[in-house]
Amino acid sequence: MRAHNFCAGPAALPIAVLERAQAELLDWQSAGASVMELSHRSPEFMGVIERAEAALRRLLGISDDYAVLFLQGGASQQFSAVPLNLAQHDQTADYVVTGQWSKKAVAEASRLMTVNVAASSADTQFSTVPAQQDWQITGGEFLHYCPNETIGGLEFSWVPEIGVPLVADMSSTLLSRPIDVSQFGVIYAGAQKNIGPAGLTLVIVRRDLLGRARSDCPSTLNWTEQASNGSMYNTPPTFAIYLAGLVFEWLEGLGGLPAIEKINRHKAAMLYQLIDDNPLYANPVEVPSRSLMNVPFTLADESLDKTFLSEAQQQGLLNLKGHRSVGGMRASIYNAISEASVVALCEFMRDFAQRKG
Ligand SMILES: *Cc1c(COP(=O)(O)O)cnc(C)c1O
C-alpha cells in the first residue's frame, strides 16, 4: 500500500515510473543485466543518457545554446561550483537572499569570491520577495537567486531582468511549470525534489559561459570539462539518470509542462484555500509569492502539532513535519503528488480542525 507522501525531498516519484523501473530492474531491455550494471560508456547506457537529455530539452525547450549536464554532489555542491566556474577570486557577484537555501549559497560563495547581497527579505522572516527596484546591484559577474525557497515556501512569480547572467537554484521548482530557459545563464537543481532520485544534479548552462572556470576549479566541478566529456569526466549516477529519463517521458505523456502546471496550480489552490478559510491554520507568505510546490503552515495552537502529525501518519499522510529550522508543518506537492493525495490531505485537515479547532 502506498501512502500519500508529502516529503520535501527525497520526494515521491510517479508510480508509473517506479513500476516501469521494477519491471526492467533485473533485465533491462534484454541487455541481460540491470541498467545499474551497465558500463556508463556502453552503447546501451549512452542511449539512456541521450534519450533523457533529449526529453528534458523538449520539455523545457532548451536550445543548442545550452549544455545539459548530469552531475553529482547535489545543489549544495553547485553553491561552490557556481563561483568556481564563473568568477575569479578577486571578482564579485550579486546574490539575492529569500530563505535558507539562498543564504547557504551566499555562505559557500563567500569562501571563494566577493559576494554582494543585493537584496534580502530576512527582515520579513522571508515572507516576501524583495521588489527588483530596491535591489542594490553591483553588476558583478552574475546574479544568483533561488526562484523557489523549499523551506519557507516562497516563490518568485517573475524572473529578474538584469544585465548580467542570471544563475538560478531551481531544485524545487524545475519542471513544475514552463519557464523560458533563454532568460537564464545557468539553472541547476538537485534531482530529488521534482526530477528523480537523490544522487543526480542537473546543470543547464549557456555555452557562452563555459571556458571561464578558474584554474584551480576541480575537474569534477568544472562545467566546461564535464560538457566536453558528455557529463562523463567520471562515472555519472547512471541509475538516477535512467530514472530521471523515465520521469521526463512520464511528464511528456501527461502533456508536458503546461499540463502539469495546470494540475499543480489546482492542487496548490485547494490547499491554500483550506488554510486561509480555517482559523486553525496559517501560512505566513504574501499571497503573490506563495510556492506552488512547498506549502508550509502552522497550527494556531502549537501544542496540537504532535497530535496533528501522528493522526496524519495513521491516515497514510506522511512527512508533513516542517523543516527543523522553522518548525510547523509543510506539505510538498511536487509533480508526482496526485490531486487525490491533496484532496485526502485537505479532508484530514478539515476534519482535524472541526474536532480540535
Ligand atoms: C533541496 C535543496 C537544496 C539542497 O540540495 P542537495 O541536493 O541536498 O544539495 C538546495 N537548494 C534548494 C532550493 C533545495 O530545495
Side-chain angles (χ1 to χ4, degrees):
M1 231 292 278
R2 284 181 58 84
H4 306 289
N5 183 0
F6 299 96
C7 192
L13 285 160
I15 292 174
V17 166
L18 294 175
E19 283 173 341
R20 169 134 175 229
Q22 181 180 44
E24 316 189 309
L25 187 67
L26 297 184
D27 183 10
W28 177 80
Q29 305 207 349
S30 306
S34 162
V35 74
M36 269 185 276
E37 303 165 307
L38 301 174
S39 163
H40 56 296
R41 301 193 192 279
S42 64
E44 289 91 343
F45 187 75
M46 293 302 282
V48 169
I49 194 169
E50 279 162 16
R51 234 177 111 160
E53 179 175 336
L56 183 69
R57 284 183 181 276
R58 286 192 301 269
L59 277 169
L60 284 166
I62 305 172
S63 78
D64 286 341
D65 294 342
Y66 289 78
V68 172
L69 307 178
F70 294 90
L71 306 179
Q72 304 184 57
S76 302
Q77 184 151 278
Q78 294 305 313
F79 295 164
S80 306
V82 166
L84 289 170
N85 279 278
L86 294 179
Q88 303 298 316
H89 297 92
D90 58 353
Q91 289 181 317
T92 303
D94 293 302
Y95 277 65
V96 175
V97 175
T98 50
Q100 308 292 335
W101 291 116
S102 41
K103 224 163 98 180
K104 276 197 162 174
V106 167
E108 290 305 308
S110 299
R111 303 171 198 273
L112 298 164
M113 63 181 303
T114 303
V115 169
N116 171 56
V117 175
S120 167
S121 57
D123 57 344
T124 67
Q125 280 73 52
F126 301 126
S127 62
T128 56
V129 168
Q132 197 188 315
Q133 73 221 33
D134 300 330
W135 296 7
Q136 307 285 320
I137 293 174
T138 62
E141 299 308 304
F142 59 88
L143 183 134
H144 179 283
Y145 80 119
C146 181
N148 183 61
E149 283 281 358
T150 319
I151 295 171
L154 182 70
E155 181 164 3
F156 280 71
S157 59
W158 43 279
V159 176
E161 280 182 43
I162 310 279
V164 298
L166 204 52
V167 178
D169 173 4
M170 292 209 188
S171 294
S172 51
T173 173
L174 195 66
L175 301 180
S176 68
R177 57 191 170 90
I179 53 167
D180 178 0
V181 171
S182 74
Q183 291 178 290
F184 298 90
V186 181
I187 292 168
Y188 64 91
Q192 68 274 18
K193 316 291 168 63
N194 219 11
I195 295 165
L200 167 66
T201 312
L202 279 183
V203 177
I204 302 165
V205 51
R206 212 170 62 215
R207 292 189 200 275
D208 67 353
L209 297 173
L210 297 175
R212 297 189 185 192
R214 53 180 79 173
S215 57
D216 54 1
C217 176
S219 299
T220 49
L221 304 188
N222 187 317
W223 300 332
T224 311
E225 190 109 25
Q226 289 284 13
S228 61
N229 284 288
S231 303
M232 294 196 191
Y233 168 80
N234 65 324
T235 314
T238 53
F239 193 69
I241 293 168
Y242 154 76
L243 266 180
L246 297 186
V247 171
F248 301 155
E249 287 170 18
W250 169 78
L251 270 174
E252 286 194 293
L254 287 182
L257 300 189
I260 200 75
E261 176 181 29
K262 224 173 131 196
I263 298 169
N264 286 335
R265 291 210 181 274
H266 182 230
K267 281 157 31 187
M270 274 195 286
L271 190 48
Y272 284 118
Q273 187 75 56
L274 179 122
I275 291 168
D276 289 344
D277 284 351
N278 207 302
L280 182 63
Y281 305 115
N283 168 281
V285 177
E286 61 171 1
V287 171
S289 305
R290 284 175 164 180
S291 169
L292 203 52
M293 293 282 101
N294 309 100
V295 182
F297 59 95
T298 51
L299 303 192
D301 177 0
E302 239 178 78
S303 71
L304 289 172
D305 283 11
K306 268 198 169 149
T307 319
F308 179 92
L309 288 168
S310 71
E311 286 192 15
Q313 177 148 5
Q314 276 161 26
Q315 303 210 12
L317 303 160
L318 306 188
N319 295 310
L320 288 165
K321 195 168 163 42
H323 191 269
R324 56 196 146 79
S325 66
V326 294
M329 314 297 159
R330 173 177 49 169
S332 293
I333 48 176
Y334 299 118
N335 292 345
I337 306 300
S338 67
E339 290 178 272
S341 288
V342 177
V343 167
L345 173 61
C346 289
E347 278 172 2
F348 166 74
M349 287 173 67
R350 205 173 285 120
D351 174 66
F352 186 86
Q354 259 163 21
R355 286 183 291 114
K356 313 273 186 180

